[in-house]
Amino acid sequence: AVIIMPGRPETLVYSLFYAESYRKAGVNVLVLDTRAHGKSDGKYHGCGYMERFDIFAACHWLKQSKGIDKVILHGICVGSSSCIHAAADPSCPSNVVGLVTDGAYTTFYETLWRRIRRNSKINPLTCVAYFRSRIKKLYGYDIKKDGPLYRMKDIKVKTLMMASQEDIFSLPEKTKILYSELPDSIGKKMV
């Protein structure tokens, strides 16, 4: 099976873009609404850090309820961060055998800064600083000093990383940096 994690602020409907390709390949598909999105519970999004626990629960459910022994994690943007955090965590369920990222970023801090600077008249420094302190207070997670960049070396499953030359928020050169941090021994590819 594959678990597809959408980007922020999308809902699971956005993930259906990839779902059909997996279905045609004979892979079961589970798409999730992340915390505080779509029909999911939650008041606050966890920037990919907290959502790893939701991925763990889905992996356990797939194994216990459906007997699925092999799970691929596929994330889009912040969903990639969720999947990277999950795959790199020592508590990652043993049925996770692969990772696919699309539009991964190095840290949420960096991508949030880029998004606010590009899309609004709000001072990015003030807004990002507030968001950083709020997430740190809620989850103990520092969006500037932690994130996918700091987790790549701990991934132990085959990994495919995708990047688009047209992506203006999750820049392809950042995907290249993340890719270079992956262990060579796992079997990795970047497109």
Side-chain angles (χ1 to χ4, degrees):
V2 63
I3 297 172
I4 304 177
M5 298 294 289
R8 195 201 68 75
E10 290 87 16
T11 64
L12 62 86
V13 174
Y14 181 74
S15 304
L16 297 177
F17 174 80
Y18 287 109
E20 186 59 16
S21 297
Y22 283 111
R23 189 195 64 76
K24 285 182 179 176
V27 178
N28 292 298
V29 178
L30 177 61
V31 293
L32 303 176
D33 273 337
T34 56
R35 295 170 183 229
H37 288 76
K39 295 185 179 188
S40 183
D41 291 341
K43 192 172 180 181
Y44 303 106
H45 193 267
C47 304
Y49 178 73
M50 296 304 292
E51 288 75 13
R52 76 185 188 283
F53 298 117
D54 304 326
I55 292 172
F56 293 171
C59 289
H60 292 304
W61 179 81
L62 285 168
K63 186 168 181 91
Q64 293 170 352
S65 299
K66 303 296 180 186
I68 294 177
D69 292 324
K70 293 181 180 179
V71 176
I72 299 164
L73 306 180
H74 183 139
I76 304 150
C77 190
V78 74
S80 290
S81 177
S82 303
C83 292
I84 289 166
H85 278 286
D89 192 307
S91 302
C92 185
S94 60
N95 58 341
V96 173
V97 297
L99 171 64
V100 178
T101 69
D102 178 4
Y105 53 75
T106 54
T107 65
F108 194 80
Y109 181 90
E110 183 179 293
T111 199
L112 182 62
W113 180 278
R114 191 176 297 110
R115 186 173 290 266
I116 291 171
R117 187 179 64 209
R118 182 174 177 86
N119 285 341
S120 70
K121 296 177 180 163
I122 300 170
N123 180 344
L125 183 60
T126 304
C127 185
V128 174
Y130 170 78
F131 193 81
R132 180 182 181 197
S133 68
R134 184 81 175 136
I135 292 298
K136 195 169 186 177
K137 184 176 181 180
L138 284 168
Y139 302 125
Y141 176 66
D142 189 334
I143 64 170
K144 186 175 185 179
K145 295 183 179 180
D146 197 354
L149 178 62
Y150 302 98
R151 304 294 174 147
M152 301 306 285
K153 67 184 180 333
D154 297 320
I155 292 175
K156 295 175 177 44
V157 296
K158 288 184 178 185
T159 301
L160 169 65
M161 298 191 76
M162 298 184 288
S164 169
Q165 294 297 335
E166 286 85 36
D167 195 329
I168 58 174
F169 298 117
S170 297
L171 305 175
E173 54 266 23
K174 301 300 181 177
T175 300
K176 290 177 184 176
I177 292 168
L178 294 173
Y179 183 80
S180 72
E181 293 295 317
L182 280 168
D184 291 327
S185 60
I186 61 170
K188 61 182 187 175
K189 183 174 183 178
M190 183 172 64
V191 293

